[in-house]
Amino acid sequence: MSGKTRAGIAGIVGAVVAFGVAELVHGIYSSVPSVFVALVQGIIEFTPGELVTRGIEILGQADIPVLITCTVIGALAFSAALAILAVRRPVLALIGVGVLAAIGVAASLAQPFVAPVPTIVTVVGALALGAILTETLLRVSGLRSGKPAVSETAPPAGSPDDPSSPVVRSREAYSSGGTAVGRGGFLLLGGGAAVAGLAALGVGRVLAGRGAQASSDPKPLNLPESPAAKPAQGGGGSNEGSSEGNSEGGKEGGAQKAAKHETLPPPPEDASIDVPGMPDLITPASSFYLIDTALQSPRIDVSTWKLSVKGAVDNPVEFSYKDLLGMSTRESDITLSCVSNPVGGGLVSNGRWTGVLLSDVLAEAGVSRDKITRASQQLVGRSVDGFTAGFRTNIALDGREALVAFGLNGSELPIKHGYPVRLVIPGLYGYISATKWLSEIELTNWDFNAYWIQRTWTKEGPVKTQSRIDTVKDGAQISAGKTPIGGIAWAPHRGIERVEVSTDGGATWNETRLAKQLALDTWRQWVYEWDAKPGQYTLQVRATDGEGETQTAKERPPHGAPSGAGGTDGATGYHTVGVTVA
């Protein structure tokens, strides 16, 4: 084993121990972030937008795992290079460790809800421990003692240099060179340290995971009883409201309508079609699709959390979690989808959301449609971690059930889906609207570019009409006879009017049977009873929305043409599957 190889291994072992110790501290004390996750998050934030988009387009949902893998390899390679440098130029290597410490501290402190002093101590201490271990391994291997390392040529058995024992004292054992070890001893020492580092890392991840699981299990959503406030003149209050009109649960002051908590009845039976492979009408929270720029969900103390409404508003205002729950709330069935969802993909889910109408929240700040000016054309949601998403303010006030949401399917929001509060805007892709872990709503001009717009994505993102075949998979072999071809179609805020299926690659089309539309903002189930004959078939589906527009057959990926032209505004084309009937 060459000296460079030993030095490189020593550096890698030191890095493993450093990351392991830092991760263990994170598992014990959650206010110290995971240093490695913070580093990867920093890479995400500083990667050029076009490169990010290209990575998503090529790798899809594998983009983050690939980035993490590359970061691990890069960190270990850099640590190995520093150790090799330390053999001849220890001062330069020490400077490199200092640079790593500065980067680690900066990345960690950029995370939300961090305890600064413990975080700095953890990062610096873990790197110092890794550097000391690396230096120790370099010295015991003879690379930093000024003496040659132990010969790799095996001496005769029983000789003074016999390496049958892992640790062999060099002839200079009592010289300034200290103690050197052979290859077996070096690997034993380095391997033991690496195992200890990996064990610390594993324990840290387990502890962090248990803490996250304990805090992420959603609790039942318990709304307070409507306050016994004096009804506003000319009207009364009730706990059970209709779906018409917005009652005000204002924060303070004189006569006002009593808050109402409007709930939905169970979905009617005819809103679902019971055939094998059909998705649930309401997606369970545990199965709801998940796409985030944040590698870890922020842990928010709801007792101190505030939502501020500011910017170009008449009356800047703050809400506590309790304030929002005390306002008039409603349940709404709304389908959300990701702009990166390919045709036929799974990045779409339907939930029963509970929250306060965004228009009611804006009204508390003095915002109305007739008061929108150039300075308030855009509504920007800002997360506790700094993520932003923006859309035209008038969308929040056009009558759709845009929500400041704090519940999903009858429970509090799961942490990974935005607890305590998020925005849910029907008809818009999430990248411009679905701010999780919401902390601010700011009204500003249209010139402001939110997170994904800064990364070259299209500024306006209405959800395209889409449809998907679910009951039959591409490449399936099915038996001849009656076969239900079914799935879902969605065009939030427009609804689905018609779904058609082709069994001959688009040459002819057959109208399907539709389930009852649960709401204009939700997907709609459909089925076609196909009398399948033996042969090879190409199945396709297309949908027509409530405004009479049929989805286009033109195939286009979510992030534009392969050349990169066209921007990022959602995939188009017909979902197509090939089947064999026997």
Side-chain angles (χ1 to χ4, degrees):
M1 184 187 301
S2 70
K4 279 190 175 182
T5 301
R6 288 195 186 197
I9 291 174
I12 290 172
V13 170
V16 169
V17 169
F19 278 123
V21 169
E23 201 65 33
L24 180 60
V25 175
H26 167 62
I28 296 171
Y29 184 40
S30 61
S31 292
V32 172
S34 168
V35 178
F36 182 76
V37 170
L39 289 171
V40 177
Q41 190 72 59
I43 293 172
I44 292 173
E45 298 300 322
F46 286 100
T47 301
E50 291 186 3
L51 184 58
V52 171
T53 301
R54 183 62 63 189
I56 294 173
E57 191 172 84
I58 294 172
L59 300 172
Q61 290 181 271
D63 59 341
I64 296 300
V66 169
L67 175 60
I68 291 173
T69 301
C70 292
T71 304
V72 169
I73 294 172
L76 295 180
F78 188 71
S79 300
L82 283 180
I84 293 171
L85 180 64
V87 174
R88 299 294 183 190
R89 297 179 176 272
V91 174
L92 289 179
L94 191 59
I95 292 173
V97 173
V99 171
L100 280 180
I103 293 173
V105 167
S108 298
L109 294 180
Q111 302 304 297
F113 309 114
V114 167
V117 174
T119 296
I120 293 171
V121 171
T122 297
V123 174
V124 174
L127 276 174
L129 181 60
I132 291 170
L133 177 59
T134 298
E135 174 69 9
T136 300
L137 290 174
L138 292 176
R139 286 186 176 278
V140 300
S141 65
L143 295 174
R144 288 270 290 131
S145 65
K147 302 291 183 181
V150 176
S151 171
E152 300 299 333
T153 304
S159 72
D161 294 322
D162 183 2
S164 57
S165 173
V167 179
V168 180
R169 296 205 175 269
S170 71
R171 291 185 177 87
E172 296 82 15
Y174 296 100
S175 69
S176 61
T179 301
V181 297
R183 177 173 58 186
F186 175 81
L187 292 177
L188 182 62
L189 291 173
V195 168
L198 290 172
L201 190 151
V203 171
R205 295 306 300 166
V206 169
L207 292 175
R210 286 179 179 175
Q213 181 62 38
S215 60
S216 64
D217 290 337
K219 302 174 184 177
L221 181 63
N222 295 316
L223 297 174
E225 294 293 330
S226 295
K230 181 180 178 180
Q233 185 175 1
S238 169
N239 285 343
E240 294 182 6
S242 70
S243 60
E244 297 180 2
N246 299 336
S247 62
E248 293 183 86
K251 293 183 65 178
E252 326 182 5
Q256 57 188 3
K257 295 180 182 178
K260 297 186 296 183
H261 302 310
E262 301 176 10
T263 58
L264 293 172
E269 290 186 7
D270 56 359
S272 297
I273 296 175
D274 185 16
V275 296
M278 184 71 73
D280 293 331
L281 180 61
I282 303 293
T283 309
S286 59
S287 302
F288 214 94
Y289 85 90
L290 187 64
I291 294 291
D292 280 318
T293 60
L295 298 182
Q296 283 189 331
S297 302
R299 303 291 186 264
I300 298 172
D301 182 356
V302 73
S303 65
T304 60
W305 172 88
K306 298 286 185 183
L307 169 62
S308 63
V309 183
K310 63 180 190 177
V313 300
D314 291 342
N315 178 39
V317 64
E318 275 193 345
F319 297 86
S320 68
Y321 190 65
K322 185 178 179 180
D323 289 333
L324 290 176
L325 267 61
M327 294 175 67
S328 292
T329 66
R330 66 175 58 196
E331 280 189 327
S332 298
D333 293 326
I334 299 171
T335 294
L336 298 184
S337 59
C338 179
V339 72
S340 296
N341 194 36
V343 172
L347 299 180
V348 56
S349 300
N350 187 49
R352 177 159 285 188
W353 304 90
T354 303
V356 176
L357 283 172
L358 178 54
S359 57
D360 286 353
V361 171
L362 293 176
E364 293 287 341
V367 178
S368 59
R369 294 196 73 177
D370 61 328
K371 291 184 178 180
I372 298 175
T373 66
R374 178 179 174 80
S376 59
Q377 281 183 323
Q378 183 174 193
L379 186 152
V380 176
R382 184 170 284 105
S383 169
V384 297
D385 64 1
F387 173 85
T388 53
F391 54 93
R392 292 193 181 275
T393 304
N394 61 358
I395 290 176
L397 303 170
D398 67 359
R400 72 185 73 197
E401 294 192 330
L403 296 178
V404 177
F406 39 74
L408 175 60
N409 298 346
S411 297
E412 293 179 349
L413 285 177
I415 285 181
K416 63 184 179 180
H417 289 295
Y419 178 86
V421 172
R422 63 170 293 166
L423 289 179
V424 176
I425 313 298
L428 298 182
Y429 285 121
Y431 79 97
I432 67 164
S433 66
T435 307
K436 300 179 183 179
W437 314 295
L438 184 67
S439 64
E440 291 181 2
I441 294 173
E442 180 180 6
L443 268 60
T444 186
N445 59 54
W446 193 244
D447 295 333
F448 175 82
N449 288 330
Y451 182 92
W452 283 114
I453 314 309
Q454 296 172 23
R455 289 156 178 80
T456 73
W457 291 20
T458 307
K459 195 155 187 173
E460 298 192 63
V463 177
K464 289 179 167 57
T465 302
Q466 291 284 319
S467 53
R468 189 178 76 192
I469 298 171
D470 286 281
T471 62
V472 178
K473 303 303 180 184
D474 191 35
Q477 291 191 347
I478 59 179
S479 300
K482 288 288 185 181
T483 301
I485 307 300
I488 54 174
W490 63 96
H493 200 51
R494 302 184 302 278
I496 294 296
E497 179 181 287
R498 183 171 64 253
V499 177
E500 299 165 286
V501 165
S502 173
T503 59
D504 52 15
T508 60
W509 292 91
N510 308 280
E511 194 154 344
T512 67
R513 176 170 64 88
L514 295 175
K516 181 178 181 179
Q517 180 87 59
L518 183 62
L520 285 180
D521 295 329
T522 68
W523 62 30
R524 193 172 188 179
Q525 296 181 353
W526 57 269
V527 68
Y528 172 63
E529 296 293 344
W530 181 33
D531 188 10
K533 309 294 183 183
Q536 302 281 336
Y537 294 89
T538 299
L539 309 182
Q540 291 185 311
V541 62
R542 68 184 184 188
T544 300
D545 68 20
E547 297 176 353
E549 292 289 330
T550 301
Q551 67 182 102
T552 178
K554 183 178 180 181
E555 295 184 0
R556 182 172 176 273
H559 302 284
S563 63
T568 295
D569 62 354
T572 62
Y574 298 156
H575 187 206
T576 302
V577 300
V579 299
T580 300
V581 180

